[in-house]
Amino acid sequence: MRKEVTMSEPRTVLDELITKWHLTRDAAAKLVDEAGCPVTGRHLAGIARGQRHAGAQLTAAIERAFGRPITELLVPYTGQWLPSNPPGQTASSAISTDTEEAFALAAQRAYQYKLAYQTRIDTSALADDVRYLAQAYPQQPLAEVISPLVAAQQAVYEQLEQGTVHTQSARELHFLAGITTGMIARAAHDSGDPSRAVELARSAAMAGELAGHRGLQAWISGLLSLVTYWAGRPQESIRHAQRAAHLASGTASTVTVWAAVSQARAWAKLRNPGGVESALSSANAAEEHATGDDLDAFGGLLTFSRARALYYTAEASATVGLTDAAARYGNEAVEAYRDPTSDYWAFGDSAGASAALATAYIQQGEVEGANALLVPVFDLPPVQRTNGIIKCIQPVYEAVSSSDTGEAGRELSERIEAFSRVPMRAVGH
């Protein structure tokens, strides 16, 4: 028996007005543009779904375009009467209001029919939202991306739960389900909850298998390697990284590089210089072929940049006392992350690169240099003090505490202690 599917109600009055006025996303955005503030169709659709925010100028333009205050536009639509045309426009004299309503009713019923019986779904809009979130995640505080990220995951699940999805559409949706769930797993890790992160990552891995996408499966294994590394389980981290390398072998995915340098960091925690050097050699070889796959095309959190590889290499080198190499790669990493407008910039990795270089500086006896280098890290607000940043600063603390660094060392230790006392997960609790 075919599963009964009902059409979900518009989330907000704004969403209902766009539908009632038969506007495409771009046409709705044009109305707002004409009212005084340019906006993309995708961004406006996100505002209408309650997933994105509008600044003051954009808010004023939306109010002018749709003829009512934003406080009325963004409340849930409960069936109240709404005008059939935008402000200042009337229906064509050749078409009566009754006819317009008849067309609207016919369109609504047709949409219900489509949801109940369609087998091929256009996933491009969902993919656009996921791509935006993948790029925003490394550059914005988690509090600003977690709600739209969960909403995107739920939208993917709702499509899958229809039960009548075409095979190709199902693969695309499982692919997006794996990405969104994987990013939420990363959010759990950044919040200091490794157990929840592992649980979510396993669900994401299942989605990757259902999608038949080895690059995504490899990325999830890389994520598990990251989580277990920072959770103090380097042996487990190595196993996950090795699985990531196996899954990504023969592909152009940058996960091949991530897997290799992740092994290097974990071997470093085990104080195994030979393992570090072997893994870094593999990373260099992988970089020659890692031109990127369709997962990398999402950008942001879903691709592994050269800057990030430099940061991992510097950290691994510093951990096993390869001070000259750590200083060289650390300087390159810090320089690579100097421009916050670059596509691959990430505040967490930038902080990690500075911490790795600071550790090398202390090993070279340059405590003042380490102190100066970490000023931007110490200036991060609590909402950006992720679990990874708190953890990556600890080797600096250990290095300065185990050396005779005098007053400068004591000052640095105190600053690290103060910084670590207010992690992101404590904000608002």
Side-chain angles (χ1 to χ4, degrees):
M1 183 173 180
R2 184 176 296 277
K3 179 182 177 182
E4 181 180 355
V5 181
T6 58
M7 185 176 70
S8 61
E9 292 296 324
R11 292 181 175 86
T12 64
V13 169
L14 177 57
D15 199 16
E16 171 63 15
L17 281 171
I18 291 171
T19 301
K20 190 177 183 70
W21 296 348
H22 309 297
L23 298 173
T24 64
R25 293 197 306 180
D26 289 343
K30 185 178 180 182
L31 280 181
V32 177
D33 189 1
E34 292 172 347
C37 184
V39 65
T40 66
R42 184 175 70 184
H43 189 71
L44 181 61
I47 294 169
R49 292 195 299 268
Q51 297 172 354
R52 297 184 185 174
H53 300 287
Q57 183 180 1
L58 180 54
T59 293
I62 291 173
E63 290 177 338
R64 288 191 292 271
F66 290 89
R68 58 185 60 208
I70 198 73
T71 52
E72 295 181 14
L73 289 169
L74 297 185
V75 298
Y77 176 66
T78 57
Q80 65 266 41
W81 178 87
L82 294 174
S84 298
N85 300 284
Q89 297 184 25
T90 60
S92 168
S93 57
I95 303 178
S96 69
T97 301
D98 288 345
T99 304
E100 284 277 353
E101 295 296 336
F103 284 156
L105 177 61
Q108 183 183 54
R109 292 307 302 268
Y111 184 64
Q112 289 176 314
Y113 169 82
K114 178 184 175 184
L115 280 182
Y117 292 99
Q118 72 180 338
T119 61
R120 188 65 184 265
I121 297 170
D122 182 4
T123 61
S124 59
L126 283 171
D128 284 346
D129 286 341
V130 173
R131 184 176 294 105
Y132 168 81
L133 291 166
Q135 294 170 10
Y137 189 108
Q139 301 187 347
Q140 298 180 14
L142 179 57
E144 295 182 13
V145 297
I146 188 61
S147 292
L149 180 54
V150 171
Q153 181 206 44
Q154 296 307 305
V156 173
Y157 285 168
E158 287 171 9
Q159 294 280 19
L160 281 167
E161 288 164 0
Q162 289 179 29
T164 59
V165 181
H166 185 277
T167 301
Q168 179 59 33
S169 293
R171 280 197 293 267
E172 293 167 357
L173 288 168
H174 285 304
F175 179 58
L176 294 175
I179 292 173
T180 53
T181 306
M183 288 199 290
I184 295 171
R186 171 62 186 266
H189 159 72
D190 283 338
S191 299
D193 191 348
S195 297
R196 180 62 55 83
V198 169
E199 177 186 357
L200 285 160
R202 286 172 178 161
S203 296
M206 183 185 74
E209 291 175 9
L210 290 169
H213 197 287
R214 289 176 66 88
L216 175 57
Q217 294 175 64
W219 185 83
I220 298 298
S221 291
L223 177 62
L224 284 166
S225 179
L226 173 76
V227 171
T228 51
Y229 171 78
W230 287 120
R233 306 199 297 269
Q235 293 278 15
E236 189 177 347
S237 178
I238 289 170
R239 289 196 296 272
H240 286 303
Q242 289 172 338
R243 175 167 171 75
H246 170 71
L247 287 166
S249 63
T251 75
S253 173
T254 59
V255 173
T256 55
V257 182
W258 189 19
V261 292
S262 293
Q263 290 182 64
R265 290 206 306 181
W267 281 121
K269 287 292 186 184
L270 294 170
R271 298 299 188 266
N272 187 325
V276 172
E277 292 178 354
S278 176
L280 292 180
S281 177
S282 296
N284 290 332
E287 278 192 306
E288 297 179 9
H289 306 286
T291 55
D293 64 359
D294 54 342
L295 182 66
D296 284 292
F298 279 78
L301 195 63
L302 299 176
T303 192
F304 194 79
S305 66
R306 170 63 178 166
R308 201 169 167 204
L310 289 167
Y311 150 45
Y312 275 49
T313 301
E315 184 178 285
S317 300
T319 302
V320 290
L322 299 173
T323 303
D324 290 343
R328 182 171 69 256
Y329 290 117
N331 271 302
E332 289 185 48
V334 168
E335 186 61 34
Y337 282 116
R338 197 170 296 283
D339 180 8
T341 65
S342 67
D343 291 340
Y344 56 81
W345 184 83
F347 70 86
D349 292 333
S350 176
S354 294
L357 181 56
T359 302
Y361 277 1
I362 292 168
Q363 291 171 349
Q364 294 174 333
E366 300 177 17
V367 182
E368 294 287 358
N371 220 333
L373 187 65
L374 292 174
V375 168
V377 180
F378 295 139
D379 286 343
L380 286 172
V383 292
Q384 288 184 299
R385 296 179 193 178
T386 65
N387 178 50
I389 291 177
I390 296 295
K391 292 288 181 66
C392 80
I393 211 79
Q394 294 311 304
V396 184
Y397 185 80
E398 294 167 7
V400 76
S401 299
S402 61
S403 305
D404 183 11
T405 53
E407 183 60 31
R410 285 191 292 276
E411 179 185 343
L412 180 54
S413 296
E414 290 172 0
R415 296 197 70 182
I416 293 173
E417 289 174 1
F419 176 83
S420 302
R421 275 197 292 270
V422 189
M424 182 188 71
R425 65 179 180 275
V427 179
H429 290 269

